[in-house]
Each structure stands twice: as C-alpha cells, then as structure tokens.
Amino acid sequence: MTQPLLTIENLRVRLGQGAGSICPVDDVSFSINHGETFALLGESGCGKSMTALALLRLLPQPIGRITGGRILLDGTDLSALPERDMRKVRGRRISMIFQEPMTSLNPVLTIGDQIGEVLQQHHGMQGGRRRGRVLELLDAVGIPDVARRAREYPHQLSGGMKQRVMIAIALAGEPDLLIADEPTTALDVTIQAQVLELLQQLQRDTHMAILLITHDLGIVSGMADRVSVMYAGQMVEEAGRDRFFSEAQHPYSRKLFESLPEVRKRDHALDTIRGTVPALDREFHGCRFAERCDHAWDLCLTRVPGWNPGAAGQHARCHLLDTTLTIPATVSASSPPRVLTPASESCNQPLLEVTDLKIHFPIHRGVFKRVVGHVYAVDGVSMTIPRGCTQALVGESGCGKTTVGKGILQLIRPTGGNVRFEDTELTTLKGERLRRRRSDFQFIFQDPYSSMNPRMLVGDIVEEGMLAQGIGKSRAERRARVEELFDRVGLSARHVQRYPHEFSGGQRQRICIARALAVDPKLVICDEPTSALDVSVQAQILNLLKQLQNELGLSYLFITHNLAVVSYLADRVAVMYLGRIVEEGPVAEVLERPLHPYTQSLLSAVPQIDPASQRAIIRLEGDLPSPADPPQGCHFHPRCPQAMPRCREAYPEATVAEDHSVRCFLHD
C-alpha cells in the first residue's frame, strides 16, 4: 500500500495560557494521499483554519502552540523540525491559498515581484529566467495580458484576479500539497467556477494533493475525493465523497444538509441547529454536539463518543453508531419541518415602482478636476415591488446591485429616473420631508460589523433610529420596544447591554434586522445579508426574514449572488449586468427556464450537491467590462457565447412573454 503524503496523528493545538486558554484543535487525525483532494468541512470557529496553520507551523505567536500529536509529511515529523528547516517546507512542499486575497498580498509590491520572491527563495531563479517563469505562471492561472498584469499592484486587479494571483504564488514553489482555505468565499459564482476548474486542472497536470477547507457543500460535492466534518475542534465524521453525500451518519452532518435552502422547501421553515458552537475553553465530559442535537440522550452528556466505524470506510464520532449500546426508542424520532403561514397581502398591490433609474458618477481629472467621463453604475433600471413580496436582484460584483438599493433609498441621489413609493416621488424629496419618510424603508448592509458603531451598546444602536424618527414618548418606552425587537429576532434582553464585538456574525446580522424593524418599515433592502454566514446560521436568518414578512407584511429587495437563497426566499428575480437588468420574472420561471445567455451562465456555475442536477458550466471569457466604458451594443456581447453581428450594433429592447421579460436579440 502506498504511503500517504500527509498524516496527522492526534494533533492538539492550544491558544493562550492558564484558565483562559482554548483548544481549537483537539485530537485530530487524518491522512491525505498523493493527488487526492481532502475536504475539511464545518462551521466558522470549528478549528478548520487553525488545523491548516498548525500544519505549516504558522500559529499566532506567542500564544499558539502545538501541545500534542505528529504531522508527518512523507514520514518527516514537521512538528519536530527547527524553524530554519520549516522555511524550506513552506511554499516548496506545502503551499497555502489564504481566505482573503487582498489582505494576503503585499500592497506595495507588484504582482510579478511577489511571485518572483517564491521562485528566488525556493528555486534560486534570477533575472530573465525568473521573469519568464512569472509570466508562465500568470498565464497558467488564466490571467490575460500577463506582461502588463505582472507590473500592476494588487489594488488594480479584480477579486477573481487577486485569487488567481494567490494560486500562482502558491504554485510557484511546485508544492506536493496545496492548502486552499475558503478559496472562493468572496467570489461570484462565475469566477468561483473558473477558480475551482483551474485548481482541478492544475491538480491533474501536477498530481499535487489538495486540502480544501470550506463550509460550502456544493463545492465539496464537485471537488473532493474524501470528506471530513469538523465540529468544536474535533473530527466528527469522515467518509468518501459519494458515501458522505448519500448517507451522512453524524447528526451534525445531516443538519448541515437540512439547513440548505432549496426551491422545494419554500413553504416550510428551514431546519436549523439550535444554539451555538460551544466555547473551547472548558473540558468536555460528553459529546460536544449533545446540547444542540435532536437525537441526544443522557449518555451523550456524560460519555465521550468513540470513533465508530461504518460501511465503506466511513467513521463517525457518535453513540448512535456504537453497536455495543442500546439506543432508546425515542431518540430516533424527528419532527416534521414547520409549515409557514403565507402573508396576508397578495403580490399584486405595488408598494415601490422604479422607472428608468440612472446613477452616473463623474470622473474628474487634472488640477481643476474637469469631468472627463462618467461611471455608468446604474443605467436605466426599472422594477416594481408589490406589498408583502420579495424581489431578488442578482448579478456579478460590480454590476450595480448595491448602488440600485442605495439609489432607491436616496442614500445616493439618482442622475435620472423615478422612484415612486406608495403615492410619493422620492427623488423630489429633500431635507426634513425625506427624513420623515425614511421610517418606511430601511437598509440591511452586507457587513453587519462595519455598519455598527463599535463604541455603542447594541441596544443604543437599535434605539438610535427611533430617536431620529421621534418614535416612543420616553426612554423607558423605547427600551421596552428594543427588548421586544431583540426577542422577535431571536436574541434576549440581556444582550442589549453588550457591544458589537461580543456577538457572532449571525447575531450581529440579527441586531441589524432589529435596527431596521425599529422604525416599522414597509420595505427593507437586504444587501447580501447571508453571504458571510455558515449554512446553519444562514438558515436561521432566512427563517427570520420569512417569518417577519408573513407577520408584518414586509416587502424585501433582496440583493445577492446566492441563487439557492433566491430560489427559497424570492417571489420574483431580476438579473443585472453592467448597470442594466437583462432578465426579470417569477423566480421559478427564470431559474428553471432562463432565456438570457448571462442568466444561463450564472445558473450553470452554481455548484450542485446532486451530481444529476449539475449543468454543464458555460464559461464566460474575460472579466466584467468597466462601467466607465461599456461596450457598444449589447453590453454582454464581448463575453456571450451566442453573440451575433447585430449584438454589436444596438442594445436589445425588452421582450415580454407571460410576465417573463428578457433583453436579448435571441428572443426578439
């Protein structure tokens, strides 16, 4: 039998000293073979990234240290190597793609210099030979015009290009093992598909192994050979990919699957995992998942489960798989999903009507700041949002989705067009008249932490809008309203006296929802409210948004690039490309029968858990054009695989059939 490339044996990591120290990696063991993709799956805070940092001996200093176990790379124990020898391993034998490319790249060095550093350090390359190899690596990861891009700085590249540069840096040392830590978290589905396809192609060419760290089950389904699930610092399940996706054994693994939004679950609340991941600063005497498990019984709280074998090499850390135990009859019972009561309002009474909305930003140059052009961020968007309904707005980053939301709320003043809310034209309101209407519409921002004042208590943050709108006769009345809102969004009254940094990502998003509800709005614009959340926390937020809509008759404009969320939550969906809507209609009609080639490419790029439902990926050439210089004719034609000569001459008019509109000459 061939020796594994990497073997982890009973690895333990501790951060801090004394009673306040935590153990983010506790007795973790697994192995990775040559040319294999091994996926490490789990929620944020479960220890995935800390495991990867321990492999490279890059734990945060001076608080982080390996306290037990071995890390064997081709038989050599990395945990025992002196630092001088570890430098020869990092980048050469093991490379890592970090989660956030912008913070991982040096902003004062060109792209070429950063790749060249690795080549010089590990291969001794100099001069023209090094420059030639840099260009070869940039070309290998699919970056166009490599000679120019090699001289550019990180801020001059798009998110997808920065991630490709990180891959090029990781591959420069020709590693045996590539650690990819959430390599596509912040990327659009089209760019994500390109990055994943690139990794698979490079793996086939070089036979390197990949340790894939992610919380996205769709990516795991398409990439992994074997899957290991991590929870609270421990491995709780390991299996081959096909076995895991067909018959996951651990209750935590099954809950992850049940939390996923799907179109068939639209009439039911998503299954959620109650509570939060336990703190890792204490000693555990039972199963770490017991407090959140629907199948736990008394033994789970008092005895640590063993690593129980199952069929086809599957293992799970759960008493349910222990054949020596007698399992109580009530343990396996599970409750059916909760049916949602639809909102009383019907989706035929317009609340918001947007007509030909334009938002153009001037480009200034020279000493006198002359206007030399415009950025056409939003260029003629029209939509109607009925009462009690959800309109989704999807598209790639940079297409203008968030600008549309801010333009509707007059946070950015439109260049042209109309925004009619009920019987009021918002574009004509100014000063006090506009401030009085702001209680009718609110904004939930993408990053909840950066949208809150870190020096204010969260109770005061939620109360702030009530003060501005004159809601509540006294502080006591307003504070009672704040506590009621916290209870409504799944928090408690004791949370009111805490600061934003004391909450998890999901809790911060709930606080932002409470802040939006504090002024009794009729329309809420949700800008990527679940993009950075784990699937279980995402399910809680989606359930909350649906429940609030059904109880209060809220309307939502839901801005996202997650089409699975759209299929579950939205009534209608509009697809946006370079400042314009190219397709719009009922969500089932657009997602099941897309007409525009851009919509088809977006849907084809979404990773699917079920291989039978996976579409052939439609690859789009190049990046999104600059909104300062949009292409002549149809804006999509330079990337469209079905472009015709007339597409270069004029922008297509909308074609409407059965409430489904599309701007494409293919359907003229």
Side-chain angles (χ1 to χ4, degrees):
M1 184 176 178
T2 307
Q3 181 185 22
L5 170 66
L6 180 77
T7 302
I8 309 299
E9 296 178 352
N10 309 112
L11 180 64
R12 285 187 173 84
V13 171
R14 186 162 290 278
L15 301 179
Q17 302 283 346
S21 66
I22 66 171
C23 187
V25 181
D26 190 8
D27 197 25
V28 166
S29 298
F30 62 89
S31 63
I32 304 177
N33 298 316
H34 290 269
E36 179 183 48
T37 298
F38 184 88
L40 206 52
L41 185 68
E43 292 177 285
S44 298
C46 70
K48 307 187 302 295
S49 295
M50 202 59 65
T51 300
L53 293 176
L55 301 187
L56 287 168
R57 301 259 304 276
L58 289 176
L59 294 170
Q61 295 298 321
I63 61 172
R65 63 195 186 280
I66 296 173
T67 59
R70 298 197 301 167
I71 305 168
L72 302 176
L73 181 67
D74 277 337
T76 301
D77 188 358
L78 300 185
S79 61
L81 284 182
E83 178 60 23
R84 183 178 61 182
D85 293 335
M86 269 306 299
R87 292 195 194 107
K88 299 176 183 177
V89 173
R90 299 188 196 110
R92 178 64 186 90
R93 300 292 310 280
I94 304 177
S95 289
M96 186 165 179
I97 303 170
F98 293 92
Q99 185 168 352
E100 178 47 64
M102 193 61 216
T103 58
S104 303
L105 294 171
N106 191 328
V108 299
L109 290 180
T110 66
I111 297 306
D113 287 341
Q114 295 187 57
I115 300 173
E117 275 186 331
V118 182
L119 297 172
Q120 182 175 343
Q121 176 71 25
H122 294 293
H123 298 288
M125 289 187 183
Q126 299 282 350
R129 184 163 166 250
R130 186 178 75 172
R131 286 193 295 272
R133 181 58 179 155
V134 167
L135 300 183
E136 287 178 11
L137 286 165
L138 288 174
D139 183 64
V141 297
I143 289 182
D145 195 3
V146 292
R148 177 171 63 89
R149 294 296 187 184
R151 298 191 298 270
E152 292 183 340
Y153 292 86
H155 72 273
Q156 296 175 276
L157 306 182
S158 67
M161 281 193 178
K162 284 196 280 278
Q163 195 63 284
R164 289 167 181 266
V165 169
M166 286 296 300
I167 295 173
I169 292 172
L171 294 175
E174 301 176 8
D176 300 314
L177 173 65
L178 177 66
I179 301 173
D181 186 5
E182 300 278 10
T184 62
T185 296
L187 302 182
D188 299 307
V189 288
T190 50
I191 306 299
Q192 172 181 278
Q194 293 174 15
V195 169
L196 295 178
E197 184 180 352
L198 171 63
L199 288 176
Q200 289 176 307
Q201 181 60 49
L202 293 171
Q203 185 179 37
R204 287 191 292 268
D205 294 342
T206 63
H207 199 60
M208 69 180 175
I210 296 178
L211 173 58
L212 177 65
I213 298 173
T214 184
H215 62 255
D216 192 318
L217 287 162
I219 292 175
V220 172
S221 175
M223 286 277 294
D225 299 301
R226 286 189 299 134
V227 183
S228 187
V229 181
M230 205 166 178
Y231 181 81
Q234 282 192 333
M235 298 292 191
V236 296
E237 183 164 3
E238 183 179 326
R241 176 189 58 188
D242 295 340
R243 176 74 182 176
F244 176 74
F245 281 92
S246 61
E247 293 186 55
Q249 295 296 308
H250 198 279
Y252 174 61
S253 304
R254 295 201 294 266
K255 276 288 189 181
L256 291 179
F257 284 104
E258 292 162 2
S259 299
L260 292 173
E262 297 177 59
V263 66
R264 62 183 177 85
K265 300 178 182 178
R266 284 178 63 88
D267 298 329
H268 297 84
L270 294 172
D271 209 338
T272 60
I273 307 176
R274 64 177 181 269
T276 58
V277 178
L280 301 177
D281 58 355
R282 61 188 175 94
E283 186 178 349
F284 293 91
H285 300 286
C287 174
R288 302 187 180 197
F289 188 61
E291 296 175 357
R292 308 176 71 190
C293 183
D294 296 336
H295 306 284
W297 77 97
D298 294 342
L299 183 67
C300 300
L301 301 173
T302 57
R303 186 196 293 185
V304 176
W307 191 236
N308 298 299
Q314 189 171 22
H315 289 77
R317 198 180 298 278
C318 181
H319 290 313
L320 292 173
L321 299 183
D322 191 340
T323 56
T324 65
L325 296 177
T326 301
I327 301 172
T330 56
V331 166
S332 298
S334 59
S335 57
R338 177 165 53 91
V339 178
L340 294 173
T341 304
S344 57
E345 295 279 3
S346 60
C347 284
N348 55 17
Q349 303 174 26
L351 176 71
L352 177 79
E353 294 179 271
V354 180
T355 307
D356 200 29
L357 181 68
K358 293 183 174 70
I359 301 176
H360 301 164
F361 299 105
I363 302 172
H364 299 280
R365 282 188 188 155
V367 176
F368 299 103
K369 302 296 182 183
R370 291 180 295 110
V371 176
V372 296
H374 287 84
V375 175
Y376 302 95
V378 179
D379 196 26
V381 165
S382 300
M383 68 172 69
T384 299
I385 303 180
R387 296 179 186 273
C389 294
T390 301
Q391 170 79 47
L393 188 60
V394 303
E396 291 176 283
S397 296
C399 71
K401 304 188 299 296
T402 298
T403 308
V404 167
K406 291 180 178 179
I408 289 172
L409 269 55
Q410 307 303 298
L411 298 175
I412 298 175
R413 281 296 187 174
T415 307
N418 301 99
V419 181
R420 191 167 188 81
F421 185 85
E422 293 182 320
D423 58 349
T424 304
E425 176 57 46
L426 298 183
T427 58
T428 63
L429 296 184
K430 295 181 180 179
E432 185 60 28
R433 291 179 62 206
L434 178 59
R435 280 193 291 273
R436 285 200 303 268
R437 288 310 303 260
R438 288 209 182 277
S439 62
D440 288 332
F441 34 80
Q442 289 291 297
F443 205 102
I444 299 174
F445 294 91
Q446 181 172 355
D447 184 352
Y449 188 67
S450 64
S451 68
M452 291 188 281
N453 189 331
R455 298 182 179 182
M456 290 178 65
L457 297 170
V458 294
D460 294 335
I461 290 173
V462 173
E463 187 181 350
E464 195 173 26
M466 299 164 64
L467 279 168
Q469 293 294 330
I471 298 174
K473 298 178 181 178
S474 65
R475 178 172 173 79
E477 185 177 328
R478 289 192 298 271
R479 186 44 56 109
R481 167 73 170 155
V482 169
E483 293 179 358
E484 176 192 339
L485 287 168
F486 270 57
D487 180 67
R488 182 181 284 277
V489 299
L491 299 171
S492 67
R494 72 176 188 276
H495 290 130
V496 171
Q497 296 296 322
R498 294 184 183 178
Y499 290 92
H501 74 270
E502 299 180 78
F503 295 90
S504 67
Q507 288 174 320
R508 289 185 197 127
Q509 200 60 281
R510 289 170 182 267
I511 293 167
C512 288
I513 293 172
R515 176 174 60 182
L517 295 177
V519 293
D520 295 320
K522 299 173 183 176
L523 170 70
V524 179
I525 297 181
C526 308
D527 186 11
E528 299 274 12
T530 63
S531 63
L533 303 180
D534 298 307
V535 288
S536 57
V537 181
Q538 173 183 270
Q540 296 172 9
I541 298 300
L542 293 179
N543 283 346
L544 175 61
L545 290 174
K546 269 208 168 187
Q547 177 186 345
L548 293 171
Q549 184 177 57
N550 294 343
E551 292 176 357
L552 306 177
L554 294 174
S555 297
Y556 295 132
L557 174 60
F558 200 90
I559 299 169
T560 184
H561 63 252
N562 189 329
L563 294 171
V565 170
V566 170
S567 69
Y568 173 74
L569 189 69
D571 299 294
R572 299 182 66 83
V573 58
V575 182
M576 195 168 179
Y577 185 82
L578 208 62
R580 297 181 179 181
I581 290 175
V582 297
E583 185 165 2
E584 197 271 341
V587 67
E589 179 73 13
V590 174
L591 297 187
E592 293 175 12
R593 196 171 65 88
L595 300 178
H596 199 280
Y598 177 61
T599 311
Q600 294 166 2
S601 69
L602 282 181
L603 290 170
S604 74
V606 177
Q608 300 291 332
I609 290 178
D610 182 7
S613 60
Q614 183 70 54
R615 308 175 193 225
I617 295 177
I618 301 172
R619 172 180 282 277
L620 297 181
E621 298 299 329
D623 291 318
L624 193 73
S626 170
D629 186 23
Q632 184 71 26
C634 174
H635 291 171
F636 186 59
H637 85 260
R639 305 173 71 193
C640 182
Q642 303 180 58
M644 302 177 290
R646 66 185 299 196
C647 300
R648 300 173 176 83
E649 299 167 0
Y651 200 89
E653 296 294 327
T655 302
V656 183
E658 299 180 359
D659 201 23
H660 184 172
S661 67
V662 61
R663 289 181 175 270
C664 181
F665 288 124
L666 293 172
H667 305 281
D668 188 359

